[in-house]
Amino acid sequence: MRRQGAPLDEWLREVAPSIELQRWYGHHPQRFGEFRRRYLTELGDQRHKYAAARLRTWPNTAASPC
């Protein structure tokens, strides 16, 4: 999904996996375990931590009707 077409108020690029990690994974299901491990490692850096903290402060809108 492209950002322009997503029904979002804000796009936090910093919580997405790096381009390098996305390319390595390539949507190969057999790589998911390693992808997960690498992505969680990426989420531990300062830039990712800040963005993830922002997400946790947003109100839960998943239960709201569209």
Side-chain angles (χ1 to χ4, degrees):
M1 173 176 283
R2 292 181 178 267
R3 173 180 40 184
Q4 294 82 359
L8 303 171
D9 293 330
E10 188 168 350
W11 185 267
L12 289 178
R13 180 178 305 169
E14 294 83 8
V15 296
S18 66
I19 297 296
E20 295 83 9
L21 183 55
Q22 291 177 43
R23 286 183 182 147
W24 173 84
Y25 175 53
H27 299 283
H28 292 98
Q30 69 274 17
R31 293 183 179 174
F32 183 75
E34 181 63 15
F35 169 81
R36 182 181 184 279
R37 186 192 70 73
R38 292 181 186 193
Y39 181 45
L40 290 172
T41 299
E42 283 187 359
L43 288 174
D45 71 24
Q46 197 60 35
R47 181 176 59 99
H48 283 92
K49 279 184 180 179
Y50 173 75
R54 286 188 59 204
L55 281 177
R56 284 190 291 274
T57 64
W58 286 357
N60 181 3
T61 58
S64 300
C66 293

